[in-house]
Amino acid sequence: MKVLIVGSGGREHAIAWKIAKSPKVDKIYCAPGNAGIAGVAECVPIAAMEFEKLADFAKENQIDLTVIGMDDPLVGGIVDLFEQRGLRVFGPRKNAAIIEGSKVFSKDLMKKYGIPTGAYETFSDAGAAVKYLETSEYPIVLKADGLALGKGVLICNNFEEAREGVRTLMLDKQFGAAGDSIVIEEFLTGPEVSALCFCDGTAIKTMTSAQDHKRAKDGDEGLNTGGMGTFSPSPFYTKEVDEFCKKYIYQPTMDAMKKEGRDFMGILFVGLILTPKGPRVLEYNARFGDPETQVVLPRMKNDIVEVFEACIDGRLDTIDLQFEDNAAVCVVLASDGYPEKYERGFAITGLGNFDGKDDYFCFHAGTKFDAQGKIVTNGGRVLGVTALGADLKQARANAYKATDWVEFDNKYMRHDIGKAIDEA
């Protein structure tokens, strides 16, 4: 069969790598892809938001399955268009992808159906938001309603910071229309865990857990990013936590969406915080996480194409999801200055060091070929160096060893991905 992947980041590279292992698949395309994805798929110069062009390509090339990796096209309704064109596609429709596209919607859904989450209020008027903050307890969390590349969350320690946060999101429009409305949420404490789930509209099955490091600098300092590294599994995600979440969060979310006429088929990413009072939902995403995917898929035993098809056909309950009894760590190699200003176009060397090493992976995020055919940096997050190990300590040591195998000017990384767990 022929598969088309829509996206261009490290997540899509990991998905392409995993799909390439399926005996069902003869040919993979990726639009637009990147220099690393080009090693396992034919990259097509069509942007992720060019829905009609993508559908035309899928029709003309007799694509059997399209997998949507990114949030923007999902929220924009690409799945609806593909289905209207008679194309087989994996991902939630527009009316279901709103669970990520609007934090106001998702928080209201959780409140309506009693799904555990933090207390909150929503605002579309900056003055009303500031007035509310005058009598709030601190710290407090401000979230842009819409998509903001994983960066539209501000933790404010006092009223002055919160007032400035409202200005940043709602008046200065740092994240554009995403800040037209905001959620003001109580600050919760505890380990944060990512749970990626396959969904078929009725059934939901959880993959192995992961933990992300969102801040730019060591010690969880600096600005929020799309993710500077991750590890799997999370030692905090115990059997008891899993059972609680299945009963009170995962299945209730699926049931709630169905009751709202928004059947969810695809990947539901549940961002959890394990508070002293139990697990709470911080956020939902409507697709694979990045860089969580880079540590979850290398541990997955199943043929991912079989799972995709089971979700589309409404028979996910027939799939027995299985993961290796090991661990994985991903360290993101970024361009210095990310997530703010950074330079592009630096040559990347040493990529061949990963060839033939089964437990080491270099997933490309922001790369491209230059005019001479050399691979160069083309983004804030450049590479996701991932390694497996018998446990987290070994996986972490392997991943950091592998970060020395590849070089480029302006290379930057955190040095404490998984360190607290490693030393526990």
Side-chain angles (χ1 to χ4, degrees), residues 390-419:
D391 54 26
L392 285 171
K393 185 174 184 178
Q394 185 182 74
R396 181 175 186 272
N398 289 343
Y400 274 102
K401 176 179 70 175
T403 62
D404 290 334
W405 298 350
V406 60
E407 294 294 337
F408 55 87
D409 289 349
N410 260 20
K411 172 181 161 183
Y412 171 78
M413 64 181 173
R414 281 183 57 163
H415 296 85
D416 62 348
I417 304 301
K419 184 178 180 181

Side-chain angles (χ1 to χ4, degrees), residues 59 81 99 113 131 163 183 256 265:
K59 275 287 190 184
L81 174 66
I99 202 168
Y113 290 95
K131 188 171 182 63
R163 180 175 58 191
V183 172
M265 186 282 294

Side-chain angles (χ1 to χ4, degrees), residues 372-386:
Q372 287 73 45
K374 294 180 180 178
I375 297 177
V376 299
T377 64
N378 190 42
R381 294 189 294 174
V382 179
L383 303 169
V385 173
T386 302

Side-chain angles (χ1 to χ4, degrees), residues 93-107:
R93 299 185 185 104
K94 183 176 184 177
N95 74 343
I98 192 175
I99 202 168
E100 175 172 9
S102 170
K103 288 185 173 62
V104 172
F105 170 86
S106 65
K107 292 292 286 189

Side-chain angles (χ1 to χ4, degrees), residues 17-319:
W17 166 83
K18 185 66 175 174
I19 288 174
K21 292 189 168 298
S22 171
K24 292 173 170 281
V25 176
D26 306 304
K27 177 74 176 179
I28 306 172
Y29 298 92
C30 189
N34 62 39
I37 293 172
V40 290
E42 180 179 331
C43 293
V44 182
I46 305 175
M49 297 302 289
E50 294 182 305
F51 298 174
E52 292 286 353
K53 288 183 179 179
L54 289 166
D56 288 344
F57 177 87
K59 275 287 190 184
E60 291 164 7
N61 290 274
Q62 298 179 309
I63 300 297
D64 300 292
L65 172 66
T66 298
V67 178
I68 312 300
M70 298 172 65
D71 47 9
D72 283 336
L74 289 169
V75 171
I78 190 171
V79 170
D80 305 65
L81 174 66
F82 268 60
E83 289 183 342
Q84 289 162 15
R85 298 280 295 271
L87 293 161
R88 194 164 169 81
V89 59
F90 178 81
R93 299 185 185 104
K94 183 176 184 177
N95 74 343
I98 192 175
I99 202 168
E100 175 172 9
S102 170
K103 288 185 173 62
V104 172
F105 170 86
S106 65
K107 292 292 286 189
D108 288 348
L109 183 85
M110 287 184 266
K111 179 188 281 188
K112 180 176 179 179
Y113 290 95
I115 296 165
T117 190
Y120 73 100
E121 296 292 339
T122 63
F123 297 90
S124 55
D125 177 78
V130 170
K131 188 171 182 63
Y132 174 79
L133 289 165
E134 289 174 353
T135 56
S136 297
E137 292 185 8
Y138 292 87
I140 203 162
V141 183
L142 275 58
K143 296 181 176 180
D145 175 49
L147 301 177
L149 299 173
K151 304 168 194 171
V153 178
L154 304 176
I155 298 172
C156 307
N157 294 304
N158 51 55
F159 171 68
E160 288 72 24
E161 287 183 12
R163 180 175 58 191
E164 186 60 30
V166 170
R167 171 176 293 280
T168 297
L169 295 175
M170 303 191 76
L171 301 178
D172 295 344
K173 299 291 186 186
Q174 182 171 329
F175 300 105
D180 288 350
S181 297
I182 64 170
V183 172
I184 300 179
E185 186 175 275
E186 71 169 315
F187 179 77
L188 299 173
T189 58
E192 294 184 26
V193 179
S194 303
L196 280 67
C197 311
F198 287 107
C199 310
D200 71 0
T202 301
I204 180 167
K205 294 208 172 187
T206 317
M207 298 177 233
T208 184
S209 60
Q211 263 183 257
D212 189 17
H213 294 66
K214 298 291 286 185
R215 298 284 187 165
K217 298 181 180 179
D218 286 3
D220 285 332
E221 300 289 332
L223 296 172
N224 258 349
T225 71
M228 291 299 294
T230 188
F231 59 88
S232 173
S234 166
F236 300 111
Y237 192 84
T238 62
K239 183 179 179 182
E240 291 73 25
V241 169
D242 184 56
E243 289 174 352
F244 177 93
C245 292
K246 284 176 178 173
K247 184 175 182 180
Y248 296 106
I249 295 175
Y250 305 146
Q251 194 61 51
T253 300
M254 292 294 292
D255 296 342
M257 292 294 280
K258 184 175 281 290
K259 287 175 183 174
E260 294 292 311
R262 300 172 182 271
D263 290 24
F264 191 100
M265 186 282 294
I267 299 293
L268 182 68
F269 173 120
V270 185
L272 300 166
I273 185 165
L274 308 183
T275 77
K277 295 181 179 179
R280 301 287 185 269
V281 178
L282 286 176
E283 65 175 352
Y284 293 116
N285 292 328
R287 37 70 192 179
F288 279 106
D290 189 345
E292 289 90 347
T293 306
Q294 290 89 306
V295 290
V296 169
L297 291 191
R299 299 186 57 224
M300 182 178 171
K301 292 183 179 181
N302 303 70
D303 180 339
I304 198 169
V305 175
E306 289 184 353
V307 185
F308 287 155
E309 294 194 301
C311 291
I312 295 169
D313 296 334
R315 49 179 178 82
L316 181 60
D317 58 346
T318 68
I319 297 291

